[in-house]
Amino acid sequence: MYDVCIIGAGVIGSAIARELSRYDLNICWLEKSEDVACGTTKANSGIVHGGYDAKHGTLKGELSAKGNSMFKRLDKELSFGFAEIGSFVIGFDEDDEKEIKRLYENGLKNGARGLEIVDKEFISKKEPYINKEVKIGLYCKTAGIISPYEFAIALAENAVENGVILHLETEVVDINKEEKGFIIKTNRGNFTSKYVINAAGVHADDIARMVGINDFDITPRRGQYLLFDKEQGYLANSVIFQTPKNGTKGVLVTKTYHGNLLLGPSAEYIDDKGNIDTTKEVLEEILQTGKKSIPEVDGRKVITSFSGLRASSKNGDFIIEESEIKGFINVAAIDSPGLTSAPAIAVKVVDIVSNLGLQLKEKENFNPYRTPINRTENMSPEEINELIKKDPRYGRIICRCESVTEGEIIEALNRPIKVSTIDGIKRRVRATGGRCQGGFCTPRIIEIISRELNIPMEEIQKRNKGSNILVDRTKKAFEDYKGDC
Ligand SMILES: O=P(O)(O)OC[C@H](O)CO
């Protein structure tokens, strides 16, 4: 029997797995997708918020401010990449000014650091392309940006290296509460565990219902985004929000960790937990709203659009508690600022299981550090030469847009969490994530995956089962064709 079973390998499950991996415990971790970070985590703003926005007295208020303060240390340990670029909430009129002052006071109560109310000159100096009509702003020096899935992958890899047993493509179908723990039934057999931590994102209510908990519902709140070419990245030096209205922080304009420009998200309540469509009307609205912050944003420079689903609940706050079923802990309704709060949520969950009686003995050999993949893009020519001398595959560029070599792709295939999809490679080394969105490098990547993992090319998937790009050899299909041409 396992001590703990974590359900869900998004950023929240990953942070919890990593935090629990400090202790001498048997932990199993179940994820229905083919990789970690495949739900909400892979499609959001990637912002480490300052912690001023969520209402004081809520879990969101407390944990976002705490989470923010943990990122520098985490990045030192896990090398996922965090840039403390600061954020602005900008205001155009008196109503905005009132709201900005309220946010400032709220932030101080939450314990947010680096807050300052600033004038137009201050904003324009930091953000030369800001709308000239801006009057006032709330500046938060400690806000920053990360790549959300690279953060989750780093946490997850470190958890696995420290002994957590991750089962991908393992979908929980039912859970039985027994006297000594739980039987968790999956498509790959049963798991037994003393404690269950439900971190299943938009499906957390479905998982909770399996043990008879019906007191919360998760309603997906879709956020659509526009991602721009890196050539537009110069337009924003920090994360730029407009003054929040209607219960959403609204459309932000930011540089991403890798230097693209990002606009979004929308905030649309929808019924279908699988609906990550983008729509022309909403994307147009996002573009126009973004232009109110930075008028020079050029809609012709969009390289892709995408959407993600926030796991929202009616009461508006995170649900992090032991449920009425002893030993079953819900970590649910983690919408924004969930990414920021993830490290602090994980610490809180460890406290909960400890208070419930789980013995936490620190492991002597816990290793908080993770070796990142060699990224030639960040190396000097001398360093790249050294690497090529050791392994010439680092001299062969596969993805020209993001400058990714064959050596890096091979490394991505040989990490503590094994992946074999094209998107799995993208989330680890960025190949296919650039200007051409994989138009040129996808065939080369398919060849590399096929050769390295000994999988026929037709079986290589883009993201999950059924998303294979190749179906047959063109010439062979032609030869096999018996009809008239
Ligand atoms: O609309 P919100 O308040 O959920 O905010 C979304 C943020 O941009 C996420 O970082």
Side-chain angles (χ1 to χ4, degrees), residues 202 205 217-222 269-271 273 310-314:
V202 290
D205 53 348
D217 289 311
I218 301 296
T219 309
R221 201 155 57 100
R222 187 170 65 187
Y269 284 100
I270 54 169
D271 297 326
K273 291 182 176 178
R310 308 173 186 79
S312 298
S313 82
K314 240 196 215 130

Side-chain angles (χ1 to χ4, degrees), residues 8-11 14 29-39 41-42 149-150 152-154 156-157 166-170 412 415-429 462-465:
V11 71
S14 303
W29 186 15
L30 311 179
E31 167 56 49
K32 74 174 173 140
S33 302
E34 72 292 344
D35 194 359
V36 301
C38 279
T41 304
K42 80 170 177 196
Y149 40 85
E150 286 176 67
I153 289 167
E157 286 188 348
L166 171 65
H167 297 265
L168 295 172
E169 295 182 278
T170 304
R415 300 290 296 177
I417 297 170
K418 301 283 171 243
V419 286
S420 59
T421 62
I422 295 164
D423 282 0
I425 303 281
K426 172 169 83 177
R427 287 192 288 270
R428 283 158 179 81
V429 288
K462 171 151 169 53
R463 49 182 172 275
N464 49 16
K465 279 207 177 73

Side-chain angles (χ1 to χ4, degrees), residues 45-47 49 221 225 241 247-250 252 264-267 310 336:
S45 318
I47 307 301
H49 291 276
R221 201 155 57 100
Y225 291 89
F241 299 91
T248 161
K249 289 186 274 304
L252 59 85
S266 54
R310 308 173 186 79
S336 177

Side-chain angles (χ1 to χ4, degrees), residues 263-332:
L263 264 62
S266 54
E268 312 156 60
Y269 284 100
I270 54 169
D271 297 326
D272 179 356
K273 291 182 176 178
N275 183 344
I276 48 166
D277 294 346
T278 52
T279 60
K280 191 167 168 265
E281 299 71 31
V282 172
L283 293 176
E284 182 56 32
E285 208 179 302
I286 288 171
L287 179 63
Q288 295 315 324
T289 311
K291 273 169 163 293
K292 187 174 173 201
S293 299
I294 307 278
E296 279 183 45
V297 169
D298 183 351
R300 293 168 306 176
K301 300 287 160 96
V302 170
I303 60 169
T304 191
S305 59
F306 62 91
S307 83
L309 304 178
R310 308 173 186 79
S312 298
S313 82
K314 240 196 215 130
N315 94 352
D317 203 3
F318 298 151
I319 299 167
I320 306 171
E321 58 196 15
E322 189 197 13
S323 67
E324 70 232 41
I325 308 294
K326 200 168 163 30
F328 190 94
I329 294 118
N330 283 314
V331 189

Side-chain angles (χ1 to χ4, degrees), residues 59-298:
L59 282 174
K60 285 185 177 179
E62 174 198 332
L63 298 172
S64 59
K66 271 194 196 149
N68 167 292
S69 69
M70 296 166 79
F71 272 82
K72 276 192 185 160
R73 179 180 53 77
L74 278 170
D75 189 32
K76 274 203 187 104
E77 293 175 348
L78 301 172
S79 303
F80 50 86
F82 165 56
E84 194 186 68
I85 60 172
S87 71
F88 282 102
V89 177
I90 56 171
F92 295 94
D93 57 30
E94 272 176 25
D95 285 348
D96 288 354
E97 184 171 344
K98 261 191 228 151
E99 179 60 9
I100 281 173
K101 288 184 175 157
R102 190 195 67 75
L103 285 173
Y104 173 76
E105 296 299 333
N106 186 64
L108 293 184
K109 287 191 215 149
N110 282 351
R113 300 157 311 128
L115 289 179
E116 206 180 329
I117 294 189
V118 294
D119 60 15
K120 183 182 179 145
E121 280 63 47
F122 183 99
I123 304 170
S124 311
K125 216 165 156 194
K126 291 240 183 228
E127 295 295 346
Y129 300 96
I130 203 86
N131 186 335
K132 300 285 172 265
E133 300 298 312
V134 73
K135 301 248 175 324
I136 187 167
L138 175 63
Y139 180 59
C140 180
K141 189 173 169 292
T142 62
I145 45 175
I146 56 175
S147 154
Y149 40 85
E150 286 176 67
F151 174 45
I153 289 167
L155 290 162
E157 286 188 348
N158 190 242
V160 168
E161 283 188 314
N162 282 300
V164 174
I165 301 170
L166 171 65
H167 297 265
L168 295 172
E169 295 182 278
T170 304
E171 181 170 5
V172 175
V173 292
D174 203 3
I175 304 174
N176 289 351
K177 170 81 175 115
E178 305 282 307
E179 204 189 309
K180 292 214 164 101
F182 297 85
I183 301 177
I184 303 113
K185 300 182 175 172
T186 79
N187 60 329
R188 291 178 184 252
N190 293 352
F191 295 79
T192 53
S193 178
K194 292 179 200 155
Y195 293 86
V196 171
I197 296 173
N198 171 17
V202 290
H203 296 288
D205 53 348
D206 306 322
I207 295 289
R209 272 185 211 112
M210 293 177 188
V211 286
I213 301 165
N214 294 303
D215 57 2
F216 68 91
D217 289 311
I218 301 296
T219 309
R221 201 155 57 100
R222 187 170 65 187
Q224 301 190 34
Y225 291 89
L226 289 169
L227 185 73
F228 291 73
D229 195 276
K230 284 183 175 171
E231 152 191 307
Q232 292 270 289
Y234 73 94
L235 288 171
N237 294 318
S238 16
V239 186
I240 302 166
F241 299 91
Q242 291 171 22
T243 306
K245 293 185 175 79
N246 312 321
T248 161
K249 289 186 274 304
V251 171
L252 59 85
V253 178
T254 186
K255 187 192 290 243
T256 65
Y257 183 77
H258 293 286
N260 298 81
L261 191 76
L262 181 73
L263 264 62
S266 54
E268 312 156 60
Y269 284 100
I270 54 169
D271 297 326
D272 179 356
K273 291 182 176 178
N275 183 344
I276 48 166
D277 294 346
T278 52
T279 60
K280 191 167 168 265
E281 299 71 31
V282 172
L283 293 176
E284 182 56 32
E285 208 179 302
I286 288 171
L287 179 63
Q288 295 315 324
T289 311
K291 273 169 163 293
K292 187 174 173 201
S293 299
I294 307 278
E296 279 183 45
V297 169
D298 183 351

